[in-house]
Amino acid sequence: MMTTQPSIWTDPLRPAARPTLGRNLSCDVAVIGGGLAGILTARFLQDAGADVVVLEKHHIGAGETGRTTAKITAQHDLIYHTLSQRRGPVTARLYAQANLAAIDQYEALIRTLPTDCGFTRCPAYLYTNGSGHRLQLEFLAAKQAGIPCALVRKTELPVPVTLALRFDQQARFQPLEFLHAVAPGLTVYEGTPVERIRRGTRHTRLETPGGTVSARVVVFAAHYPLVTVPGWYFTRLHQERSYVIALQNAFLPYGMYLGIDPDGLSFRMAGDYLLLGGGGHRTGEDPGHPYEVLEARAKTLWPQCRVARRWSAQDCMTVDNVPYIGQYAPSTPDWFVATGFRKWGMTTSMVAAQVLSDLITGAPDPYIPVFDPARSLKGSVGNLMNEMGHAAKGLTRGLFQGRRCSHMGCRLEWNAAEGSWDCPCHGSRFAPDGTVLNDPAMEDTNLE
Ligand SMILES: Cc1cc2nc3c(=O)[nH]c(=O)nc-3n(C[C@H](O)[C@H](O)[C@H](O)COP(=O)(O)OP(=O)(O)OC[C@H]3O[C@@H](n4cnc5c(N)ncnc54)[C@H](O)[C@@H]3O)c2cc1C
């Protein structure tokens, strides 16, 4: 059985370790989480004049940002048709504009850095070998939303394609090189997990093993929101995991691709590697043999290829497919959150940095209502009910049998592909010795 390895993004990087918090301090803004969302938000706020501190449990880029496939694109699987139907064409247009602007912001920011971070403009494609009806609807909605795009029948892919939807002028990059190039100049404490959060009248106290940070404003960028109440994010978020292999001797010179059929794959070049992704499933469900399946697909497409690396990652999924970016809850005007990126958190971390820094500094921003976590979810009642069903099932099973998650007590399921115990309710994961691997669980669990 094959298991996970570090991603290719970590290979060339030997960043110096940052200090661990060893005293109490105060700041304007504390950002919890040193992934792309946290670091970019901290950078935007510091550039706007705020005194910002980032608290990171492990080291920056240790989370999902270090395991992504790093396409920077406004093409977020199928979204524009549904978004336009549910929330109207104006919201779909704003969603598109926010994400197209994010690609330009990457390009502009990277120009100021000492490295180009592998940033390359290229087209992004959705492809199908089916009827093409869903792509035609998506094309019309994307065009109406102002995205430069086209339907095409011919691609460079070695798989059968009946129709593809191309978005022009998208991009790809090396995410960890970018993260480490953006972070210098920020005050970041690594090896500093936030263990308790106490909100007072004027400040919030964030307790870590080495000291307490007292902050006027807190940004929750820890991937999954850490505080259960208020916010109640666990009722409207779940996590999905998927698998990536890095191939040598396989090549696609031009675009980035994502299949919309059930057996669809993700493709992009990264230097000498071709990244092939797939096998997505709700965390906690049995993935079968995802690496073996991907490798077998790769060998049929490029018989000479060699699998150089394999890894997996997971991301938070919202019930209406739009991230939750904004005020944490109506009762906490000094807390902010960025989560629910639905496997598109490269572009939407940049959107989050812009929206959150505008909210915190009071600058006008047309995108705030689009991502507002307090928006109406009435068009997504079916998905909300589904989330509740999963939680009820996991909790009931946890009551009567099996190993339980330290988050809310749901029964954990064994993921043989990863060698981990995974929670089907909210996506926490644990090593075989009970050490917590993924939030929202903040504590280890007893697996005996
Ligand atoms: C297989 C796969 C492929 C993907 N490919 C793409 C892609 O091509 N394009 C795209 O746009 N998106 C992609 N994504 C999504 C993208 O990788 C994520 O949305 C993004 O990396 C999330 O960034 P983040 O900063 O929110 O989270 P993270 O990178 O996970 O950062 C959160 C940080 O918070 C820290 N933390 C957690 N708890 C605490 C605590 N208590 N105290 C202190 N720190 C804490 C963690 O250690 C971590 O470093 C992909 C996702 C998957 C699963």
Side-chain angles (χ1 to χ4, degrees):
M1 176 70 65
M2 302 173 186
T3 53
T4 200
Q5 298 171 321
S7 78
I8 56 162
W9 310 123
T10 56
D11 288 356
L13 302 167
R14 298 282 173 274
R18 292 177 172 77
T20 295
L21 187 66
R23 65 191 172 97
N24 298 339
L25 57 80
S26 303
C27 60
D28 293 338
V29 185
V31 175
I32 308 174
L36 197 53
I39 293 295
L40 278 174
T41 304
R43 170 82 192 237
F44 275 41
L45 285 165
Q46 182 162 299
D47 289 353
D51 168 25
V52 187
V53 166
V54 179
L55 303 171
E56 164 54 49
K57 178 159 64 169
H58 301 297
H59 55 86
I60 69 168
E64 305 315 316
T65 298
R67 296 187 277 267
T68 179
T69 47
K71 302 170 181 171
I72 306 177
T73 174
Q75 185 182 72
H76 295 172
D77 203 335
L78 296 170
I79 186 163
Y80 292 100
H81 174 67
T82 318
L83 190 56
S84 182
Q85 297 277 304
R86 283 195 189 145
R87 295 182 60 190
V90 173
T91 298
R93 178 173 270 272
L94 286 168
Y95 184 94
Q97 277 173 0
N99 282 288
L100 291 173
I103 306 173
D104 294 341
Q105 282 172 297
Y106 269 111
E107 191 164 39
L109 182 52
I110 287 169
R111 272 203 212 106
T112 69
L113 301 176
T115 156
D116 70 5
C117 308
F119 182 91
T120 310
R121 288 277 186 176
C122 58
Y125 294 81
L126 292 175
Y127 73 88
T128 180
N129 193 30
S131 77
H133 179 62
R134 289 188 299 159
L135 281 188
Q136 280 160 351
L137 292 177
E138 187 69 359
F139 167 66
L140 292 175
K143 214 168 163 51
Q144 195 182 21
I147 296 172
C149 59
L151 281 175
V152 296
R153 298 206 176 271
K154 216 168 138 55
T155 72
E156 62 189 329
L157 284 176
V159 297
V161 171
T162 51
L163 197 62
L165 171 58
R166 189 187 69 223
F167 282 18
D168 296 318
Q169 285 294 306
Q170 311 298 294
R172 58 184 187 237
F173 74 153
Q174 211 291 22
L176 290 188
E177 200 179 330
F178 174 78
L179 202 64
H180 289 293
V182 166
L186 295 176
T187 305
V188 181
Y189 291 98
E190 294 187 335
T192 304
V194 174
E195 294 181 332
R196 260 175 302 282
I197 300 165
R198 299 184 197 280
R199 186 163 174 272
T201 43
R202 301 177 64 170
H203 287 91
T204 296
R205 284 162 53 87
L206 303 176
E207 296 176 12
T208 80
T212 296
V213 173
S214 181
R216 201 173 50 77
V217 168
V218 178
V219 174
F220 291 81
H223 193 240
Y224 198 106
L226 297 180
V227 174
T228 304
V229 181
W232 301 88
Y233 286 94
F234 68 95
T235 62
R236 50 194 162 119
L237 270 185
H238 73 272
Q239 299 199 59
E240 290 190 8
R241 199 156 192 87
S242 40
Y243 302 81
V244 183
I245 55 177
L247 302 173
Q248 288 171 321
N249 301 330
F251 193 57
L252 280 180
Y254 189 50
M256 312 181 288
Y257 295 84
L258 181 69
I260 63 162
D261 303 328
D263 63 347
L265 296 170
S266 162
F267 302 81
R268 75 151 273 195
M269 287 305 294
D272 292 338
Y273 298 110
L274 188 143
L275 305 188
L276 188 68
H281 62 92
R282 186 181 177 109
T283 304
E285 285 173 354
D286 181 3
H289 303 285
Y291 294 118
E292 286 81 351
V293 171
L294 278 178
E295 183 164 344
R297 296 282 304 273
K299 290 278 183 198
T300 60
L301 301 175
W302 292 279
Q304 308 303 323
C305 74
R306 192 181 82 80
V307 179
R309 202 69 64 81
R310 60 186 73 89
W311 69 88
S312 70
Q314 68 185 36
D315 212 1
C316 299
M317 319 298 277
T318 66
V319 290
D320 66 355
N321 291 339
V322 175
Y324 302 133
I325 301 168
Q327 199 175 299
Y328 199 94
S331 60
T332 55
D334 45 353
W335 286 8
F336 298 86
V337 68
T339 189
F341 293 140
R342 191 179 154 248
K343 303 187 191 173
W344 299 109
M346 299 291 103
T347 336
T348 43
S349 283
M350 183 63 90
V351 173
Q354 186 66 61
V355 165
L356 294 184
S357 60
D358 287 342
L359 270 169
I360 292 166
T361 60
D365 186 320
Y367 308 128
I368 290 170
V370 176
F371 300 96
D372 184 359
R375 64 184 176 264
S376 165
L377 297 173
K378 67 175 190 284
S380 309
V381 172
N383 288 343
L384 276 167
M385 300 295 286
N386 195 27
E387 290 310 324
M388 276 184 235
H390 271 282
K393 196 163 124 194
L395 283 166
T396 313
R397 285 181 165 175
L399 277 181
F400 295 110
Q401 50 172 312
R403 296 165 171 87
R404 304 217 322 237
C405 179
S406 62
H407 176 227
M408 296 184 86
C410 291
R411 190 178 83 169
L412 298 172
E413 306 292 339
W414 178 244
N415 178 340
E418 294 297 293
S420 61
W421 288 98
D422 299 356
C423 177
C425 291
H426 309 108
S428 300
R429 296 174 59 249
F430 300 87
D433 67 356
T435 308
V436 65
L437 298 173
N438 278 92
D439 296 342
M442 290 172 75
E443 287 165 16
D444 299 342
T445 195
N446 184 355
L447 293 174
E448 282 166 14

